[in-house]
Amino acid sequence: MEKKTIKKSFTQGAIAAEFIGNSIAKHQNKTSIGAHNIFLGQVRADEIEGKIVSAIEYSAYEEMAEQSFYEIREAAFEKYDLTCLHIYHSLGLVKTGEICLFVFVSAPRRKVVYKALEFLVEEIKEKVAIFGKEIFEDETYTWKKNS
Amino acid sequence: MEKKTIKKSFTQGAIAAEFIGNSIAKHQNKTSIGAHNIFLGQVRADEIEGKIVSAIEYSAYEEMAEQSFYEIREAAFEKYDLTCLHIYHSLGLVKTGEICLFVFVSAPRRKVVYKALEFLVEEIKEKVAIFGKEIFEDETYTWKKNS
Amino acid sequence: MTITAKYFGLIADFTKEIEEEFTIEKSDFSTEDLLNDLKQKYSELQETSFVIAVNKNITSENLNLKNNDIIALLPPFAGG
Amino acid sequence: MTITAKYFGLIADFTKEIEEEFTIEKSDFSTEDLLNDLKQKYSELQETSFVIAVNKNITSENLNLKNNDIIALLPPFAGG
């Protein structure tokens, strides 16, 4: 008997561009797919009160967050006619210019992928218990809030 | 004196997953970017009157189409606050499972990238003089129409 | 005057050419005149849906043609 | 009963702990009772915006707690 395991979305450190390229390559044997839509979150070198962000250190309530990712993924499959979808989010240190969020949806036809991707990203931002410490060049920090 | 040249969007054959990964990597020194959104068109193995599509052969009115890509790109920069955007479309043979369209938008904040990407893809589908011959496994073909 | 007609996709299939040059004796010759001549030459055009571009601009008006104009016959687009 | 409080982000900064176990003598003890105690212990909580999750479910109701419940104090989310 197969046990249904919850697919993990967290990954340690930044998400490499090469990993994204490989994920795309893995979908090329699924010939019912006509459209992919990918969202990438990249860490910005924001200026906050005169100091420049050099990295974000992500932490999470992991058990709860993986459960939220699972629910968001199920909701997306329920709402949209998707062939597959993947979510990856960083934990730990991600430097400016590096990628911390990778959301990937695929479907036979394109119309549905725009909406599905926006739904997923907005749900992740709003509902997943992830915390980000914006670390400045002088090693002080502030806690990030989503807007 | 520098002459402004129109960036070319057409590329010969399929767009490799590795090329997409490399494009993403090239944006990691732009630390004002917070969000990327990527659309990929992939050739489907559609069944049409009992025959399975094995490839699409793209042709175009190239001089006119490059001009259309240019105008669509300019319109997107006008409408949306984007850091950069890139469009690549295949010419020639693209097999099922391979990628024929790669549209890549980047912006400081995410809200704008969803709309910008959808605008670009829909404009490309509607306004660019590209033609696609859907080639079946038995080497007969039919002309593709966008829906 | 001399004008060039360009054919794409499905249309090039039955014109068997991708480009043709026409020398027009009249000085007054419009896109509609050209299309009428082409529909005579290629009867399949009568049942084909297409748009035309004059010098790379799509137009639905009946334009007067000038020397060296390029008229493209474009079947439905299928990019992406 | 024994309950566990978990602290995250900004809140863990001032609790200096990521987790604390509390043994409650009363059988009738709610999330609101817990929060009142915690606000006494960590005065910074009074000016901090957060939500709570009981056994991984976010709740805005005042729930009665049971043995082994896990209550997480979650400051604003910042994923992506």
Side-chain angles (χ1 to χ4, degrees):
Chain A
M1 279 212 317
E2 245 187 303
K3 208 176 135 188
K4 196 177 176 185
T5 53
I6 292 187
K7 218 164 117 186
K8 292 272 175 288
S9 286
F10 282 121
T11 179
Q12 206 57 41
I15 298 162
E18 203 184 340
F19 175 81
I20 299 161
N22 289 341
S23 294
I24 294 166
K26 279 184 198 156
H27 287 74
Q28 307 211 282
N29 60 348
K30 297 195 181 177
T31 57
S32 66
I33 292 173
H36 303 288
N37 200 350
I38 292 171
F39 180 91
L40 304 173
Q42 184 166 301
V43 175
R44 273 196 314 270
D46 276 350
E47 189 184 321
I48 302 174
E49 293 175 12
K51 294 199 275 191
I52 308 290
V53 172
S54 70
I56 296 181
E57 192 186 338
Y58 286 102
S59 56
Y61 185 2
E62 283 189 57
E63 307 92 293
M64 182 176 155
E66 290 285 7
Q67 179 63 34
S68 304
F69 280 127
Y70 174 79
E71 287 163 8
I72 291 169
R73 196 181 285 122
E74 293 296 299
F77 276 118
E78 191 76 21
K79 283 169 80 89
Y80 306 104
D81 178 26
L82 300 175
T83 308
C84 54
L85 78 86
H86 307 276
I87 301 172
Y88 300 94
H89 197 294
S90 296
L91 284 181
L93 205 71
V94 183
K95 291 187 211 138
T96 52
E98 292 184 330
I99 290 162
C100 57
L101 173 61
F102 169 29
V103 185
F104 187 178
V105 305
S106 308
R109 301 190 162 271
R110 75 185 184 282
K111 299 278 183 188
V112 79
V113 298
Y114 310 124
K115 285 195 185 67
L117 189 74
E118 181 168 358
F119 168 79
L120 285 163
V121 175
E122 296 304 312
E123 287 283 292
I124 292 166
K125 293 259 178 190
E126 188 190 326
K127 296 194 177 161
V128 186
I130 299 171
F131 313 99
K133 201 187 245 190
E134 293 183 304
I135 300 173
F136 299 111
E137 286 162 340
D138 64 2
E139 290 176 31
T140 59
Y141 66 87
T142 185
W143 288 96
K144 178 175 176 265
K145 283 180 202 188
N146 277 347
S147 56
Chain B
M1 282 217 310
E2 242 186 305
K3 209 176 138 189
K4 197 177 177 186
T5 52
I6 292 186
K7 220 164 117 188
K8 292 272 175 287
S9 286
F10 282 121
T11 179
Q12 205 57 39
I15 298 162
E18 201 185 340
F19 176 80
I20 299 162
N22 289 340
S23 293
I24 295 166
K26 281 186 196 154
H27 287 74
Q28 306 210 284
N29 60 349
K30 298 194 180 177
T31 57
S32 65
I33 292 173
H36 303 288
N37 201 350
I38 292 171
F39 179 90
L40 303 173
Q42 186 169 299
V43 174
R44 273 194 315 270
D46 277 352
E47 189 184 321
I48 301 174
E49 293 172 13
K51 295 199 271 190
I52 308 289
V53 172
S54 69
I56 296 181
E57 191 186 338
Y58 287 104
S59 56
Y61 185 2
E62 283 190 57
E63 309 91 290
M64 184 177 156
E66 290 285 9
Q67 178 65 32
S68 304
F69 281 129
Y70 174 79
E71 287 163 10
I72 291 168
R73 196 181 285 123
E74 293 296 301
F77 275 119
E78 191 77 21
K79 282 169 81 88
Y80 305 104
D81 179 24
L82 300 174
T83 308
C84 53
L85 79 85
H86 307 276
I87 300 170
Y88 299 93
H89 197 294
S90 295
L91 282 183
L93 204 72
V94 183
K95 291 185 211 135
T96 51
E98 293 185 327
I99 289 162
C100 57
L101 173 61
F102 169 28
V103 185
F104 187 178
V105 306
S106 308
R109 301 190 164 272
R110 76 182 182 284
K111 298 278 182 187
V112 77
V113 297
Y114 309 123
K115 286 196 186 66
L117 189 75
E118 182 169 356
F119 169 80
L120 284 164
V121 175
E122 296 304 311
E123 288 281 294
I124 291 165
K125 292 259 180 190
E126 187 190 328
K127 296 193 177 163
V128 186
I130 299 171
F131 314 99
K133 201 186 248 191
E134 293 183 303
I135 301 172
F136 299 110
E137 287 161 340
D138 64 1
E139 290 176 28
T140 60
Y141 66 86
T142 184
W143 289 96
K144 179 174 175 264
K145 285 180 198 189
N146 277 347
S147 56
Chain C
M1 63 179 158
T2 304
I3 59 168
T4 305
K6 281 173 170 281
Y7 310 121
F8 293 91
L10 169 65
I11 294 173
D13 270 4
F14 53 72
T15 61
K16 308 261 194 306
E17 305 275 359
I18 59 168
E19 200 172 305
E20 278 184 298
E21 229 177 72
F22 295 103
T23 306
I24 314 290
E25 300 305 324
K26 296 176 264 184
S27 63
D28 201 37
F29 193 74
S30 72
T31 49
E32 211 171 281
D33 297 328
L34 175 68
L35 290 181
N36 286 337
D37 288 359
L38 290 176
K39 282 175 185 170
Q40 293 277 320
K41 188 167 177 186
Y42 306 111
S43 60
E44 298 94 330
L45 263 188
Q46 292 166 27
E47 295 107 53
T48 303
S49 89
F50 63 93
V51 296
I52 67 164
V54 176
N55 302 327
K56 296 187 267 180
N57 295 306
I58 289 175
T59 180
S60 52
E61 287 172 77
N62 183 23
L63 295 180
N64 279 318
L65 295 174
K66 308 178 309 295
N67 190 32
N68 294 326
D69 275 352
I70 299 171
I71 300 91
L73 275 62
L74 306 168
F77 299 168
Chain D
M1 64 178 159
T2 303
I3 59 167
T4 305
K6 282 174 170 281
Y7 310 122
F8 292 90
L10 169 65
I11 294 173
D13 271 3
F14 55 72
T15 60
K16 309 261 193 303
E17 305 274 359
I18 59 165
E19 198 170 308
E20 277 185 298
E21 229 178 72
F22 295 104
T23 306
I24 314 289
E25 300 305 326
K26 296 175 263 183
S27 63
D28 201 36
F29 192 75
S30 72
T31 49
E32 207 171 284
D33 297 329
L34 176 68
L35 289 181
N36 286 336
D37 288 359
L38 290 176
K39 283 177 182 170
Q40 293 277 318
K41 189 168 176 188
Y42 305 112
S43 60
E44 298 94 328
L45 263 188
Q46 294 165 29
E47 294 107 52
T48 303
S49 88
F50 62 95
V51 295
I52 67 162
V54 177
N55 304 327
K56 297 186 267 180
N57 295 305
I58 289 175
T59 179
S60 52
E61 286 172 76
N62 183 23
L63 296 180
N64 279 320
L65 295 174
K66 310 177 305 297
N67 192 33
N68 295 327
D69 275 353
I70 299 170
I71 300 91
L73 275 64
L74 306 168
F77 298 168

